[in-house]
Amino acid sequence: LFALTLLALVLFFVLAFPSVAFADHESPAIFVKSVVDECLYILKSEKNKDLQAEKILVLMKTSFDFPAITESLLKGLNVSDKDKSALTEIFPSLLQMRYRIFVKSPDSLTVEYERYEVFNSGLGAMVYTRTKIPGHDLDLNYKLRHVDGKWKIYDITVGGVSFVGNYRAQIHKVLSQSSFADFLSQLEGMVGKKISQGYGR
């Protein structure tokens, strides 16, 4: 289960980074395909790992609906807006770090785009893909929402298991045993980024 979670996390990074704002008339499936193509291009063409990581981080910050992800991750918890902003700021770096650790060879990855569904009066969508790497064949379903005139990703399900939901359970467990400030400090240590100066700890 742990290995599957890591694999899902890797594929989450590899497949979900657009570089441009897409027109309203483009379907969610076209959006996801463009995302995959652009991300794989960066992985293959940028040999400097630090520059590669920076580009991916920029793409992530413009491609994911991180405020919505944060709200989902902290759902049911009594968390201040300041705490939410702190998590929203550091979470992209956490994802980018995981991507750098686990993504090894983008050349061996292939994606089949099966279908998509639009719901919530056209403001939400699910894109169904089948992603293949050597030794693995996974169904990845992308949840998107229309934000400020373009699609953004706010969750991915792997075999019916929500990535955000899985991460939420882990975060809730940690926060049941420690303060949010300590939790944030742990994340900072993982990504090597200090965002809590003057945070009030």
Side-chain angles (χ1 to χ4, degrees):
L1 179 60
F2 181 70
L4 180 60
T5 300
L6 291 183
L7 178 60
L9 185 62
V10 170
L11 295 175
F12 183 64
F13 306 131
V14 173
L15 301 176
F17 310 127
S19 62
V20 298
F22 293 90
D24 289 348
H25 68 274
E26 289 189 308
S27 74
I30 292 176
F31 169 81
V32 171
K33 186 179 187 307
S34 298
V35 163
V36 173
D37 291 345
E38 178 68 13
C39 187
L40 292 180
Y41 174 77
I42 293 174
L43 293 173
K44 293 175 183 178
S45 64
E46 182 54 75
K47 303 305 180 183
N48 183 299
K49 296 300 183 182
D50 289 337
L51 290 177
Q52 185 185 94
E54 289 178 11
K55 291 180 179 180
I56 293 298
L57 184 58
V58 170
L59 293 175
M60 291 176 66
K61 288 183 175 180
T62 58
S63 307
F64 290 90
D65 190 350
F66 281 110
I69 291 174
T70 296
E71 289 291 338
S72 183
L73 291 174
L74 301 177
K75 185 177 181 180
L77 297 175
N78 184 18
V79 179
S80 70
D81 290 340
K82 188 175 183 179
D83 288 345
K84 291 178 181 178
S85 294
L87 182 58
T88 299
E89 182 177 348
I90 201 171
F91 201 65
S93 295
L94 177 65
L95 298 186
Q96 181 268 129
M97 179 205 69
R98 292 298 191 188
Y99 138 78
R100 294 190 70 188
I101 291 175
F102 295 111
V103 173
K104 301 298 182 183
S105 179
D107 296 310
S108 63
L109 184 148
T110 61
V111 183
E112 297 175 358
Y113 303 90
E114 298 182 334
R115 62 191 175 90
Y116 72 91
E117 298 175 351
V118 176
F119 49 85
N120 193 23
S121 300
L123 298 178
M126 178 83 82
V127 177
Y128 298 86
T129 75
R130 192 154 186 81
T131 301
K132 300 180 179 181
I133 60 176
H136 296 279
D137 192 355
L138 294 174
D139 291 321
L140 297 184
N141 303 329
Y142 295 78
K143 288 186 177 180
L144 306 96
R145 60 196 299 259
H146 221 238
V147 181
D148 298 328
K150 59 184 178 182
W151 292 107
K152 286 195 174 184
I153 297 168
Y154 70 93
D155 197 8
I156 291 179
T157 63
V158 183
V161 178
S162 164
F163 169 82
V164 171
N166 185 276
Y167 227 112
R168 183 195 303 122
Q170 297 178 45
I171 290 175
H172 280 224
K173 182 177 181 180
V174 171
L175 290 179
S176 70
Q177 302 170 353
S178 63
S179 68
F180 191 90
D182 289 339
F183 167 64
L184 184 65
S185 181
Q186 292 177 37
L187 295 185
E188 290 173 341
M190 293 173 66
V191 303
K193 179 180 181 182
K194 188 72 173 176
I195 69 169
S196 60
Q197 255 183 336
Y199 185 71
R201 286 187 275 165

